[in-house]
Amino acid sequence: MDARNKKTPPLPNGFSGNAYVLISVAFTAGELEEGSHEAIIEKIKQAKNSVNSDYVNAYMEALDGPQGTIPPLKELTIVSDWTRMPFHKVGFLHGDAAYAPPLVTPIPQVAYLMQNPIDPAGIDVRIGLLPQSLDAFSRYFLMNVQ
């Protein structure tokens, strides 16, 4: 989640460095299967609304602390909403680029929700996979894709 406006005082508008924090919502498989989409979305909204300057400061402190304070990323399932970053609208010389996604996902174990460059209502899902997972992913998920 973008943390630029969550700090007190907020980071300046021209700040171009990374300024994000991870938020989390925990569900069991049963809760995901049995719960309504509305209830799941509401829980995500509540988590996003809970981020404030204290949260950002605690997050930064945890990153500087011993690695045992946060779970290893390979044990987490992360979905990151990048729909407000229109990579396909990047200026390129005398016009817009046809499409300019990030070349490598910043964190391999993350699914990124991104704007579809053709359909304004569409969302693309970009999945970062570790090299040892590619064969299994291709075998189970891409075998019937044309």
Side-chain angles (χ1 to χ4, degrees):
M1 165 172 211
D2 186 357
R4 286 173 174 77
N5 64 347
K6 302 297 182 181
K7 288 284 296 164
T8 304
L11 294 170
N13 287 337
F15 180 81
S16 62
N18 288 331
Y20 67 90
V21 295
L22 297 177
I23 58 170
S24 63
V25 179
F27 290 101
T28 64
E31 289 172 328
L32 287 173
E33 284 185 11
E34 296 166 12
S36 69
H37 288 107
E38 292 80 11
I40 294 168
I41 291 168
E42 186 56 37
K43 194 166 182 179
I44 294 169
K45 284 181 180 179
Q46 289 173 357
K48 290 176 83 172
N49 290 334
S50 72
V51 175
N52 57 23
S53 189
D54 291 337
Y55 182 99
V56 174
N57 291 337
Y59 186 88
M60 292 181 349
E61 194 173 306
L63 290 176
D64 287 338
Q67 288 303 308
T69 59
I70 54 176
L73 288 176
K74 66 181 178 181
E75 295 182 13
L76 299 175
T77 300
I78 302 173
V79 178
S80 186
D81 181 357
W82 286 22
T83 56
R84 294 187 184 189
M85 291 186 265
F87 287 102
H88 60 283
K89 294 183 181 176
V90 173
F92 185 72
L93 298 176
H94 301 292
D96 288 342
Y99 192 62
L103 294 176
V104 176
T105 56
I107 301 171
Q109 301 88 343
V110 178
Y112 296 91
L113 305 179
M114 305 175 79
Q115 288 182 5
N116 181 290
I118 299 168
D119 179 2
I123 294 177
D124 290 348
V125 179
R126 183 181 178 119
I127 302 171
L129 296 172
L130 296 172
Q132 61 268 30
S133 304
L134 290 175
D135 287 339
F137 180 84
S138 298
R139 187 170 46 256
Y140 293 110
F141 293 101
L142 300 179
M143 39 190 279
N144 295 321
V145 175
Q146 302 295 335

